[in-house]
C-alpha cells in the first residue's frame, strides 16, 4: 500500500478525497512536529504540503518519495 503524507492541514474536502482512494494510506503530520515528519517520510511515497517548506534533510530522509505536491 502506498503512503501519502499530509504535512499540516489541507481542506476537509481534499482530505476526504484522499482517504477514499484505494491502495493508499493517508498520514497527517502537524506543522510543528518535525520529528514526526522525518519519521513518517521514511515510508512515504508522496507528500502533500500547503505552505510549509520541505527542506533538503526532509527530502533526503524519504527514500521512497516519488511526488511532492502543493495543495
Amino acid at each position: 500500500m502506498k503512503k501519502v503524507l499530509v504535512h499540516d492541514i489541507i481542506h476537509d474536502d481534499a482530505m476526504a478525497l484522499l482517504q477514499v482512494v484505494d491502495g493508499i494510506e493517508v498520514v497527517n503530520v502537524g506543522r510543528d512536529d518535525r520529528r514526526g515528519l522525518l519519521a513518517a517520510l521514511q515510508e512515504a511515497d508522496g507528500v502533500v504540503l500547503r505552505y510549509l517548506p520541505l527542506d533538503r534533510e526532509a527530502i533526503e530522509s524519504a527514500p521512497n518519495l516519488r511526488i511532492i505536491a502543493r495543495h
Side-chain angles (χ1 to χ4, degrees):
M1 180 174 293
K2 301 293 183 182
K3 187 175 285 189
V4 175
L5 172 65
V6 176
H7 186 35
D8 199 9
I9 58 171
I10 61 174
H11 194 277
D12 289 340
D13 292 343
M15 190 65 138
L17 286 171
L18 283 173
Q19 291 173 332
V20 298
V21 175
D22 288 335
I24 68 167
E25 174 188 357
V26 179
V27 177
N28 190 278
V29 176
R31 79 172 13 245
D32 296 321
D33 187 2
R34 177 72 178 179
R35 182 175 288 182
L37 172 66
L38 294 176
L41 280 168
Q42 292 179 19
E43 296 180 357
D45 297 287
V47 63
V48 178
L49 305 161
R50 192 157 182 190
Y51 300 112
L52 297 177
L54 194 65
D55 61 26
R56 180 184 204 115
E57 178 187 20
I59 293 169
E60 289 176 350
S61 72
N64 300 324
L65 193 63
R66 299 293 175 255
I67 188 167
I68 300 169
R70 289 268 178 208
H71 172 65

